[in-house]
Amino acid sequence: MWAGMPIEIEDWGDFEAMLRAELARLNFSDCVLVRNFDLETATVDKDTMVQSGSVDRLDLVLRTGTDRDETSDFWNAPGFDHDHDLNPAEKAPQDIIYAYPVDLRHTPYRVHVGGAWEVLDLTEQLEDVCGILIYDASKLTRTSNNEHWFNGDPRDALLAVFKPLPYE
């Protein structure tokens, strides 16, 4: 299990201030990786395309340090991700994440997108079924604009988990 506790957030607009406060509490000032994820996903039979169940991705994060598992897809977006089809990396899906490098030395924070740092609100499209994972960027290897490979146990790289407050 990951040693931390999820941080409940009432409004995604509060994310930047809450992230800064959590990193200060952890005495962490280096570059972080920010990954948005769905708290729960459907499992689909690939042959019939029929939903066969669901996966509690938040529980998976708390147990393993990542929301990805052996059923997760490699993205393989040309020019943006490592192409696992052309160059197999001997990595399982749960050994990698797709995330944004974030520099908090600026206010608002800067996000590394497509080779340049820019102001980008990573919470703009999030809903109450989403969460955010914060990783220590030094504990992953960046292999493309968007793809990062864990250098060890994902739980050691995971700094914080943000999730929405439950409905009353």
Side-chain angles (χ1 to χ4, degrees):
M1 290 292 282
W2 176 60
M5 293 292 297
I7 300 165
E8 293 186 329
I9 190 164
E10 187 171 345
D11 184 314
W12 285 117
D14 298 330
F15 170 70
E16 182 172 355
M18 292 178 74
L19 173 59
R20 289 179 186 281
E22 179 62 9
L23 293 177
R25 186 188 75 76
L26 295 171
N27 197 28
F28 188 88
S29 59
D30 293 333
C31 186
V32 297
L33 299 175
V34 176
R35 175 170 169 75
N36 301 340
F37 74 106
D38 292 328
L39 297 172
E40 186 174 326
T41 60
T43 54
V44 177
D45 182 289
K46 292 188 182 203
D47 294 328
T48 64
M49 296 308 290
V50 173
Q51 182 175 342
S52 57
S54 64
V55 177
D56 182 338
R57 296 287 170 180
L58 178 59
D59 178 65
L60 183 63
V61 165
L62 299 178
R63 286 186 291 108
T64 69
T66 179
D67 64 302
R68 293 175 52 80
D69 63 16
E70 65 280 349
T71 67
S72 299
D73 291 326
F74 291 113
W75 288 8
N76 292 340
F80 201 65
D81 299 316
H82 177 87
D83 192 327
H84 292 270
D85 292 336
L86 289 177
N87 297 308
E90 305 299 321
K91 296 286 183 184
Q94 62 269 30
D95 296 334
I96 69 166
I97 57 168
Y98 302 96
Y100 291 102
V102 171
D103 184 348
L104 290 155
R105 293 176 295 178
H106 306 275
T107 302
Y109 60 79
R110 303 291 194 268
V111 179
H112 199 263
V113 180
W117 291 97
E118 62 183 72
V119 174
L120 178 67
D121 181 356
L122 295 175
T123 65
E124 189 173 28
Q125 302 291 322
L126 296 186
E127 300 175 3
D128 62 353
V129 296
C130 300
I132 295 180
L133 306 175
I134 307 299
Y135 291 98
D136 177 346
S138 73
K139 294 187 177 182
L140 293 97
T141 299
R142 187 174 189 189
T143 58
S144 68
N145 283 332
N146 193 39
E147 187 170 323
H148 306 266
W149 297 354
F150 290 104
N151 295 328
D153 189 321
R155 292 172 291 197
D156 295 335
L158 185 61
L159 296 171
V161 176
F162 289 84
K163 71 180 197 77
L165 283 171
Y167 282 123
E168 299 294 324

